[in-house]
Amino acid sequence: MVTNGVFKILYCVLLFFCVLVLIRDIVRKKAVMALRSLYMKNPSAIPDVRELAKKSVSDNDLGVVSSALHIFYELIKVCRLLQKLQSCIVN
């Protein structure tokens, strides 16, 4: 099992790759896809996933943008689930 420290190290590496402008498009796309995979496994390991996805959505490459939209899709699913849970608790 992967520890929380390993996730933080991977997060820092991914952030480094996402921030660099000189990286080829495919590497940025793969970095965003890896970010989504990490978020799916452990959401608390990546505290500012929304900010990283926002930066990726404004990328010039459509592959990077579409990968970032998958992150927003996962965030929307979580928000809908929380809203359903809240409505069940209230009712």
Side-chain angles (χ1 to χ4, degrees):
M1 182 158 201
V2 180
T3 62
N4 212 10
V6 173
F7 278 114
K8 289 182 181 179
I9 292 170
L10 289 173
Y11 169 69
C12 291
V13 170
L14 288 173
L15 181 61
F16 176 75
F17 280 118
C18 287
V19 170
L20 288 178
V21 177
L22 300 176
I23 299 176
R24 293 188 327 201
D25 296 338
I26 190 71
V27 176
R28 288 196 312 273
K29 178 183 173 185
K30 295 289 183 181
V32 173
M33 290 170 58
L35 181 68
R36 179 185 174 268
S37 296
L38 286 175
Y39 178 76
M40 293 296 296
K41 292 178 183 174
N42 189 0
S44 62
I46 307 172
D48 57 344
V49 70
R50 289 181 185 159
E51 294 301 319
L52 293 171
K54 283 181 187 177
K55 289 178 184 177
S56 299
V57 167
S58 63
D59 198 90
N60 292 333
D61 183 42
L62 292 179
V64 177
V65 173
S66 66
S67 297
L69 290 177
H70 286 287
I71 295 173
F72 281 117
Y73 175 71
E74 297 300 330
L75 291 171
I76 289 168
K77 284 192 333 188
V78 168
C79 289
R80 286 184 181 168
L81 178 64
L82 290 175
Q83 288 175 350
K84 286 181 183 179
L85 287 174
Q86 288 175 350
S87 65
C88 289
I89 292 172
V90 171
N91 294 332

